[in-house]
Amino acid sequence: MLEQINMLREKGQNELNALNSTDQLPEWYYRYLGRKGDLTSLLKQLGTLSSEERPAMGKVINEVKQELQESFELRQKTLRETNLSQQLEIDDLDVTLPGRPCTTGHLHLTTQTLRRIYKIFQEMGFQVYEAPEVESDEFNFQLLNIPEYHPARDMWDTFWVNDEVVLRTHTSPGQIWAMREYYPEPIRVILPGKCYRFEQITPRSEHQFFQVEGLAIGKNIRLTDLIGVMSEFAHKMYGVERKVRFRGSYFPFTEPSIEIDMSCSCGEEDGTESSGCRLCKYTGWLEVAGAGMVHPAVLRNGGYDPEEWSGFAFGMGVERPALLKHNIDDIRYFYGNDLRFLQQF
Ligand SMILES: [Zn+2]
């Protein structure tokens, strides 16, 4: 048996030294030192020996096991180092250098603002409804109670694709799409998206901007419902400490029409109302949205009988809340693709 052990030891050492890749190490380990390896099976044969021989032989096997284990670890270390230096020569790549950090992107400021708006209206039961950005004159104007040659058309400087097709100047045509799709069900939707105006680009206006339109149609919907929804929105978006006010206004597609303002944050600091700042143009108030009860003609164009149904609609900018929140003084930064700006939010 001693002879067998010595042969195994020599064979193991030789084979180990002949290995030239770390890939071959596990196989060797399994064969000699594994639970079903040659040394283990020798240990199991100890039972066949006489009780005088057994302790001495057991000791020898364990010594050989220990020795092979140490050689294995040494060989593993050497092979790993050789592999690494060979790799370095071949690849001309220093794998020991720390990696360069990957820059991860994040949502655009506008998308972040949109998602906050969605969440607030979602809690009040509004769904998101998307409508086309390229519209017909009919949907963008006529069905919204703005016939051809109506002076209200001057409210929107328009990009005309041809005599009948426009880039939508507001998200309001989505009201007609939603009404025609949902009729005769009640509606509670918000209509977000890009709008286009043929305007001079200034710090306060871009020819492309986002709006979120809202529309609720049902039976017995009243102006007070609109006021409740808009107050809730302003408080959730800007804080409960904001005061909200409603002013009479004019839009062709709502009757009556209102504008919604909220108190500027400048009034809060010293506890006095409307001390004024540059953001609120020293008035103490900021515009939040335009709104009103859906005009009977618009309801009819959407398929709803104004004798039976009523509803409210509102529209608001998306960049403006972000401008206010982060104290940004130029809307043109939003879509200028300057990462130095975008990475700040
Ligand atoms: Zn102010």
Side-chain angles (χ1 to χ4, degrees), residues 153-160 169 196-200:
R153 287 206 177 195
D154 292 344
M155 290 167 82
W156 302 275
D157 296 304
T158 310
F159 279 114
W160 292 88
T169 55
Y196 304 87
R197 302 264 172 99
F198 184 55
E199 286 184 343
Q200 191 182 3

Side-chain angles (χ1 to χ4, degrees), residues 264 266 276-277 280:
C264 180
C266 62
C277 72
C280 61

Side-chain angles (χ1 to χ4, degrees), residues 8 16 24 81 94 106 109 131 200 256 276 278 299 324 328:
L8 194 64
L16 186 62
Q24 298 163 324
E81 279 164 9
D94 187 351
H106 66 75
L109 182 53
Q200 191 182 3
R278 202 169 49 89
L299 276 175
L324 295 175
I328 302 162

Side-chain angles (χ1 to χ4, degrees), residues 5 8 15 39 59 67 94 101 106 130 136 142 161 192 202 206 216 231 243 253 256 258 273 278 331 337 339:
I5 297 170
L8 194 64
E15 281 182 24
L39 272 172
K59 192 165 171 263
E67 188 193 316
D94 187 351
H106 66 75
E130 301 213 30
S136 57
Q142 294 168 39
V161 177
T202 69
E206 257 279 18
S231 304
K243 292 188 191 71
F253 30 84
I258 57 172
E273 212 171 303
R278 202 169 49 89
I331 195 173
N337 285 337
L339 287 179

Side-chain angles (χ1 to χ4, degrees), residues 25 66-67 102 130 136 145 212 230 259:
L25 285 167
Q66 180 88 25
E67 188 193 316
C102 286
E130 301 213 30
S136 57
N145 203 29
V212 173
M230 295 319 286
E259 275 187 62

Side-chain angles (χ1 to χ4, degrees), residues 110 113 204 209-210 237-238 278-281 285-289 316-328 331 334-335:
T110 300
T113 315
R204 299 186 67 86
F209 56 95
F210 276 82
M237 188 79 183
Y238 300 100
R278 202 169 49 89
L279 276 176
C280 61
K281 296 187 210 153
W285 294 94
L286 299 160
E287 290 167 29
V288 176
M316 66 180 88
V318 175
E319 290 86 356
R320 234 183 111 66
L323 285 172
L324 295 175
K325 182 159 184 268
H326 299 290
N327 216 345
I328 302 162
I331 195 173
F334 278 74
Y335 308 113

Side-chain angles (χ1 to χ4, degrees), residues 228-260:
V229 165
M230 295 319 286
S231 304
E232 178 77 2
F233 169 75
H235 289 151
K236 284 209 165 134
M237 188 79 183
Y238 300 100
V240 282
E241 67 284 359
R242 299 293 179 114
K243 292 188 191 71
V244 183
R245 77 173 182 188
F246 301 88
R247 284 181 290 124
S249 184
Y250 169 75
F251 303 106
F253 30 84
T254 45
E255 181 57 38
S257 302
I258 57 172
E259 275 187 62
I260 299 135

